[in-house]
Amino acid sequence: MQMVLPPVVVPMEATITLPESLLSVINVRKPDLDRFIRRVLAVGLYREGRLSLGKAAEVAGARNTWEMILLLDEKGVPVDYSGEDAEADLETLRKHLGR
């Protein structure tokens, strides 16, 4: 039997230049700026329909899709998550838990 490995995620870096005054305007500390920008980007692209829920979670650095759902709710963004999606997630959990 051949073992299938998950794809390797290679981080991509992008450099942007922002005015120093932005930190005080958005009330974010410099060490937290990367996380803040990733979350804003993920929420915005999900809102526009350009990212799936899973991909938005990856971009935002969320631990899982449920954490992303909470972030979207916090930002007032409706989640496109159907009953079928919930059933599929439940089935995945059952497989992993052996139930």
Side-chain angles (χ1 to χ4, degrees):
M1 176 166 46
Q2 184 178 12
M3 188 172 167
V4 178
L5 298 174
V8 176
V9 177
V10 178
M12 177 184 64
E13 286 195 25
T15 302
I16 59 172
T17 304
L18 302 168
E20 190 72 32
S21 60
L22 177 67
L23 295 176
S24 63
V25 172
I26 61 175
N27 197 27
V28 173
R29 295 176 326 124
K30 198 168 191 173
D32 301 327
L33 188 58
D34 180 74
R35 181 173 188 258
F36 176 83
I37 290 173
R38 289 175 55 143
R39 291 168 54 109
V40 168
L41 181 63
V43 168
L45 292 175
Y46 179 84
R47 179 185 284 129
E48 292 177 7
R50 298 178 70 175
L51 290 181
S52 67
L53 184 59
K55 187 54 76 175
E58 182 182 335
V59 170
R63 289 174 289 191
N64 51 51
T65 55
W66 295 111
E67 187 175 299
M68 188 65 203
I69 288 170
L70 292 173
L71 174 60
L72 292 169
D73 182 60
E74 178 185 308
K75 301 300 181 188
V77 177
V79 178
D80 183 21
Y81 190 77
S82 69
E84 291 173 357
D85 294 330
E87 287 177 19
D89 285 346
L90 185 57
E91 184 60 33
T92 300
L93 282 172
R94 285 184 179 135
K95 285 179 185 175
H96 288 290
L97 296 175
R99 296 181 184 173

